[in-house]
Amino acid sequence: MKSLRFLIPIALFGVLVWFLFRGLSLNPREVPSPLIGKPAPAFTLPRLDDPQKTMQREDFAGKPWVMNVWASWCAPCREEHPLVIDLARRVKVPVVGLNYKDRPGDARNWLERLGNPYAATLIDFDGKVGIDFGVYGVPETFVIDAQGIVRYKHVGPLTPQVLREKIEPLLKQLGALG
Amino acid sequence: MLLRATLTALILLWAGAVLAQGAVAPAAPAVAAAAVDPELEARVLKISAGLRCLVCQNQTIADSNADLAVDLRNQVREMLVRGQSPQQINDYMTARYGDFVLYKPPVRSSTALLWYGPAVLLVLAVLILVWIIRRRTKLPADRFEPDPDGN
């Protein structure tokens, strides 16, 4: 028994290494959203294509929808844009753009140049609705179900992997993918 | 004599310049903010100092000048002006960004280890220490190395 005591510090060291190693693979930027499973926050925002008209949360009720938060000043948004275009083409539900703290003129140019996949783009000029949605890193993507409940949130640019493993299975489950 | 006087004057000048620079530069923004309402700003800062900036995660929104931090400080200020309590403001922030925004996390079952872990470790360490000391007091003297000074 006594001869095996030297194993105790080695075992403790092993536990420590395991924790540190786990820590390396965790992403502190992925903050779990408290919004998941809760109703999407209410909003009334002007449309980018016609700022005289506003849209609100209730306009999207009744079927699932995807909300993509973007801005023309955001480089990763440009990076993910082809994926958003591709997603919008394949899903049967609206992909809505939330144009976050942007100049509407810049935003319109951006969409003209890179393509406009959005059923509607809403202007969140002062970022207040962004705060309500807990946005902290553009781009962000939300999936909201027919009951208006936020089901999924992705922070950062979409990747083929996230679409394949998270968003598409969820949309399929919600009956939003053909 | 003249050399010494010149040197002293130079040093004084230099020290004066350094002091002036140090005093003026950081004071400027504080003056601008204080011009609004120093008491309100102090409360905004106090609450902001307990909230994490999610863009630059190891800073509070009081320390950070990230866009979102500025927006959230303005939000805190607005809510204070509307007469809402610090608790209401913290609830507002956690409803949107989760417990992660609080630098002082709430006590609940998932954070129990965080709150009580160190105390448990301390008690455990003291118990082990007491156990070792008691065991050693019972050992005969010849089990120890003799003291070098011969006592």
Side-chain angles (χ1 to χ4, degrees), chain B residues 111-123:
Chain B
T111 57
L113 190 65
L114 184 71
W115 278 99
Y116 304 118
V120 169
L121 279 181
L122 184 69
V123 169

Side-chain angles (χ1 to χ4, degrees), chain A residues 2 5 28-35 100-101 126-128 130-136, chain B residues 54-57 67-68 71-72 74-75 78 92-100 135 143:
Chain A
K2 190 135 190 160
R5 257 168 83 177
R29 299 229 146 247
E30 263 169 34
V31 180
S33 173
L35 225 56
Y100 179 74
K101 300 193 76 173
D126 53 10
K128 285 261 180 232
I131 291 180
D132 282 342
F133 272 88
V135 170
Y136 62 91
Chain B
L54 286 131
V55 182
C56 29
Q57 291 188 347
D67 231 26
L68 182 65
D71 286 354
L72 289 178
N74 288 337
Q75 184 67 33
E78 247 170 62
Y92 173 94
M93 294 295 171
T94 41
R96 283 154 184 80
Y97 294 101
D99 287 344
F100 191 64
R135 206 180 52 141
R143 290 287 304 275

Side-chain angles (χ1 to χ4, degrees), chain B residues 15-39:
Chain B
V18 167
L19 278 177
Q21 218 176 18
V24 169
V31 167
V36 190
D37 177 354
E39 200 211 345

